[in-house]
Amino acid sequence: MLAGGVAGAAAAYGVATQLRHPTKSHREPDGRFRTLTLRWPHADRDPVLIVARERGFFANYSLDVKTPGETPTGNSAISEIAQDHAVGAVAPALSWLPRLHDGIPAKLVAGLTAGSFRVLVRVKSGVTRLESIVGKTIATTDEDSADRRFFSVLLRRKGIDADRSVNWTLLPMNEVSGALAAGDIDGVVAHDPFAWTLLTAPGAGLKELAGSTTGLYAERVNLVLGLTDEFLDSDPDGSVALTLALRDTCRWIAAHTDEVSTLLSHHLTDMDDDAVDAMLAHEPRPVHLLGRWLRDQMAQYADELKLIGRLPDALDSGAFAKSICRNVLHV
């Protein structure tokens, strides 16, 4: 899953990454070699993971990071850390927060990338603005996906209950294009690279109605690294090493967009180099968060999840965000 963009000038890096924490208070890695297992959706095509491995950022911190098996969604990644020996998972914030509220024993330590959620509709569907989606049939590839939750928040801000007002249909990825072409569905909620492939397919006749790639949402983190309480308590130096490796990866991505495109092209074999370049150019600049900046955005997400009934109305979003986030670099 490509959930974060890498476009943007290196000059904007300081703002885009928002890595505002004092160096003098950092914990330092111990240099010990570790093999760590993470659950990471679509690990074979995630740019942060690809760069961390292929440019040696894990190796720089003496880490061998394993991502075994297929992890199709953020929710499944979170479930798997409660069932096996993975030390953590990467998943959308919109997936993490309800699970953490339900008691998954983990803490969020770093936001990694912005999101690339897209609401696509057929040009011939008659849908011209978000409000006119009411009564239409919209596909999702995961019944309780972050894509659907994002879309539901957008509609709720306009006074529309997406669960009641939209005809949702669950389809596997390989059936979405055919259903759109046949007119069986009016649109789909998805994220890149799948969403971009659908949108730009010759003759697809689709348009993007809304998304997270522009405006205020482009400054919001999407994929977040969470580590289990057991790992955080038993190996604090290991969590420091992993967090620093991913921090350095995100910094490098911000300053080397052309090289990221080349690396990613080798893994997105169903897209040519020009298509990958175009996709990355239409995604947000890097957003990487630690410490209180991560907590602040998680509180924002908590407020939004309350709007759509995924968190209780009475929840203190700020206190909740503080309870589920940990700055492992702080001494």
Side-chain angles (χ1 to χ4, degrees), residues 18 22 52 126 141 175 214 218 251 311:
Q18 300 183 46
T141 59
E175 294 182 15
T214 59
R251 286 179 170 178
L311 287 175

Short mmCIF file of all heavy atoms in Angstrom, two decimals, residues 18 22 52 126 141 175 214 218 251 311:
data_model
loop_
_atom_site.label_atom_id
_atom_site.label_comp_id
_atom_site.label_asym_id
_atom_site.label_seq_id
_atom_site.Cartn_x
_atom_site.Cartn_y
_atom_site.Cartn_z
N GLN A 18 8.15 18.10 9.90
CA GLN A 18 7.78 18.53 11.23
C GLN A 18 8.55 17.78 12.31
O GLN A 18 7.99 17.36 13.32
CB GLN A 18 6.26 18.35 11.44
CG GLN A 18 5.44 19.15 10.44
CD GLN A 18 3.97 19.03 10.71
OE1 GLN A 18 3.53 19.15 11.83
NE2 GLN A 18 3.21 18.79 9.67
N PRO A 22 14.16 18.64 20.34
CA PRO A 22 15.53 19.06 20.64
C PRO A 22 16.50 17.90 20.64
O PRO A 22 16.30 16.90 21.32
CB PRO A 22 15.41 19.67 22.04
CG PRO A 22 14.17 19.06 22.61
CD PRO A 22 13.25 18.81 21.47
N ALA A 52 13.99 2.28 3.38
CA ALA A 52 14.70 1.92 4.60
C ALA A 52 15.57 0.69 4.40
O ALA A 52 16.70 0.61 4.91
CB ALA A 52 13.72 1.68 5.74
N GLY A 126 -23.38 11.39 -12.66
CA GLY A 126 -24.15 12.56 -12.26
C GLY A 126 -23.70 13.17 -10.94
O GLY A 126 -24.29 14.16 -10.48
N THR A 141 -12.86 -1.81 -0.88
CA THR A 141 -12.23 -3.14 -0.92
C THR A 141 -12.07 -3.72 0.49
O THR A 141 -11.58 -4.84 0.64
CB THR A 141 -10.85 -3.05 -1.59
OG1 THR A 141 -10.02 -2.14 -0.87
CG2 THR A 141 -10.99 -2.58 -3.03
N GLU A 175 -12.13 -6.71 -9.13
CA GLU A 175 -13.48 -6.60 -9.69
C GLU A 175 -13.97 -5.16 -9.80
O GLU A 175 -15.02 -4.91 -10.39
CB GLU A 175 -14.47 -7.41 -8.84
CG GLU A 175 -14.23 -8.91 -8.87
CD GLU A 175 -15.27 -9.68 -8.07
OE1 GLU A 175 -16.32 -9.08 -7.73
OE2 GLU A 175 -15.03 -10.87 -7.78
N THR A 214 -4.69 17.01 -1.06
CA THR A 214 -4.59 18.47 -1.15
C THR A 214 -5.21 19.08 0.10
O THR A 214 -5.88 18.40 0.89
CB THR A 214 -5.34 19.01 -2.39
OG1 THR A 214 -6.71 18.62 -2.32
CG2 THR A 214 -4.73 18.47 -3.67
N ALA A 218 -3.47 17.18 3.41
CA ALA A 218 -2.14 16.88 2.88
C ALA A 218 -1.05 17.12 3.92
O ALA A 218 0.08 16.65 3.76
CB ALA A 218 -1.87 17.73 1.64
N ARG A 251 13.49 11.50 6.22
CA ARG A 251 14.30 12.67 5.85
C ARG A 251 14.90 12.48 4.46
O ARG A 251 14.92 13.42 3.64
CB ARG A 251 15.41 12.88 6.88
CG ARG A 251 14.94 13.44 8.22
CD ARG A 251 16.12 13.59 9.16
NE ARG A 251 15.74 14.34 10.36
CZ ARG A 251 16.58 14.59 11.36
NH1 ARG A 251 17.83 14.12 11.32
NH2 ARG A 251 16.18 15.29 12.41
N LEU A 311 -15.56 6.32 17.91
CA LEU A 311 -15.09 6.53 19.28
C LEU A 311 -16.23 7.20 20.04
O LEU A 311 -17.03 7.94 19.45
CB LEU A 311 -13.84 7.42 19.30
CG LEU A 311 -12.53 6.79 18.83
CD1 LEU A 311 -11.41 7.83 18.81
CD2 LEU A 311 -12.11 5.60 19.69
#
